[in-house]
Amino acid sequence: MNNNINEAFEGTRNAGSIAASALDEVNKIIKPGVKTEKIDKLCFEFINDSGAFSAPLFYRGFPKSCCTSVNHIVCHGIPGNKILKEGDIVNVDVTVLKNGWHGDTSRMFYVGDVSVKSKNLTKTTYEAMMEAIKILKDGVTVGDIGSTIQKYVEKKGFSVVRDFCGHGLGKNFHEEPNILHYGEPGTGNKLKSGMIFTIEPMINEGKFETSVLKDGWTAVTKDKLLSAQFEHTVGIKKDGYEIFTLSKKGLNFPPQK
Ligand code: MF3
Ligand code: CO
Ligand code: CO
């Protein structure tokens, strides 16, 4: 790897590690009765105390430091006075800017005990993301990623959201390439060693269609059925990949003990 790639990987490793640790902290407070704005406050403070910035805050007018997407919310839920209740599933998405580099990650959390249906959807979403990560190396195409996720998810009877995708990141929060979570093997751009991007599939219990609420951000399933999402920031290497946003405490997947 040349020096520029080393610098980008090292920068993203630092940012990604803070982002993952923020979610490890979030895990400590998720329980019935907690307001989503408490999650936001924790993320804001943890990220600041780590000498970093929260990238979502004021990004294109977004008002908060993380996204909290509960149940049928697909993504970009805005933290506020909503109270988490027993049986909810919630995605918390944080993006950290540290020394000029970004790390972007999200996980699902269970609020108390959740239904078998919620667990199946959550498990399938996580496994689909990890299956796609496992194939990563120089020369794999964007379509290979999408088709791996789509096949895995549709086999279980769930659907892949089309309206949002993963993205390159580095010095910018969102940049080329777009990483679609559906597609055909062998199609699309080839991934090259040194590329850094997210894989962040949003998987719906019912149909894949989404709509955005009047707040201009909150994306929901049109059919009001559940949606789940996980996100890792990854880097391509000649013979494989690096995941920059793994939990140092092994809390990547619920129920996080
Ligand atoms: N973190 C989200 C992503 O995965 C983007 C959030 S944009 C925000 O790309 F403005 F809603 F925060
Ligand atoms: Co992202
Ligand atoms: Co994100």
Side-chain angles (χ1 to χ4, degrees):
M1 281 199 278
N2 69 36
N3 281 336
N4 286 342
I5 292 179
N6 270 332
E7 191 198 326
F9 271 48
E10 185 56 22
T12 306
R13 205 174 282 135
N14 284 331
S17 138
I18 295 168
S21 297
L23 293 182
D24 289 349
E25 292 300 309
V26 165
N27 177 57
K28 294 179 183 166
I29 65 161
I30 298 260
K31 55 169 184 270
V34 165
K35 284 186 181 168
T36 52
E37 64 199 4
K38 184 170 176 186
I39 299 170
D40 178 68
K41 187 163 183 277
L42 187 158
C43 289
F44 176 82
E45 284 169 0
F46 183 86
I47 291 167
N48 270 294
D49 291 349
S50 306
F53 297 98
S54 172
L57 188 58
F58 309 135
Y59 176 78
R60 299 184 179 184
F62 191 79
K64 297 287 179 177
S65 292
C66 66
C67 300
T68 50
S69 302
V70 183
N71 295 339
H72 72 292
I73 299 181
V74 173
C75 64
H76 303 163
I78 304 175
N81 56 18
K82 185 184 174 59
I83 297 173
L84 297 177
K85 61 175 196 307
E86 180 93 18
D88 284 345
I89 56 172
V90 56
N91 174 278
V92 181
D93 190 336
V94 294
T95 312
V96 163
L97 174 61
K98 171 79 176 177
N99 295 334
W101 298 97
H102 288 83
D104 188 4
T105 185
S106 82
R107 292 176 207 157
M108 299 302 294
F109 298 91
Y110 297 156
V111 183
D113 266 339
V114 311
S115 69
V116 170
K117 187 177 70 180
S118 296
K119 284 181 184 161
N120 279 340
L121 178 66
T122 301
K123 190 164 180 278
T124 299
T125 306
Y126 180 75
E127 288 170 354
M129 174 183 70
M130 294 312 292
E131 288 296 310
I133 290 176
K134 277 190 235 152
I135 68 166
L136 297 176
K137 61 179 181 187
D138 192 287
V140 160
T141 73
V142 169
D144 293 332
I145 295 176
S147 71
T148 301
I149 293 169
Q150 186 177 11
K151 274 188 203 128
Y152 195 88
V153 163
E154 292 182 353
K155 201 174 60 195
K156 310 266 180 178
F158 299 128
S159 68
V160 178
V161 168
R162 311 308 204 240
D163 297 336
F164 302 92
C165 58
H167 50 92
L169 80 172
K171 299 217 165 179
N172 298 307
F173 189 172
H174 293 106
E175 55 187 45
E176 291 289 294
N178 282 339
I179 305 294
L180 275 56
H181 304 111
Y182 60 96
E184 298 299 325
T187 64
N189 291 339
K190 272 191 179 156
L191 304 174
K192 287 267 157 260
S193 191
M195 285 178 71
I196 297 173
F197 55 89
T198 71
I199 300 185
E200 50 179 301
M202 284 137 279
I203 305 303
N204 292 352
E205 179 193 358
K207 299 208 169 77
F208 64 70
E209 284 85 1
T210 72
S211 43
V212 174
L213 301 187
K214 283 203 216 81
D215 63 23
W217 283 104
T218 311
V220 298
T221 56
K222 277 215 163 126
D223 59 16
K224 302 285 157 58
L225 296 178
L226 295 171
S227 187
Q229 180 180 27
F230 286 86
E231 173 175 29
H232 272 314
T233 298
V234 296
I236 298 294
K237 305 202 289 187
K238 193 168 181 319
D239 290 307
Y241 58 87
E242 175 169 344
I243 305 177
F244 297 113
T245 45
L246 286 172
S247 166
K248 283 187 276 297
K249 296 183 174 171
L251 303 174
N252 297 294
F253 180 82
Q256 293 98 339
K257 295 293 186 219

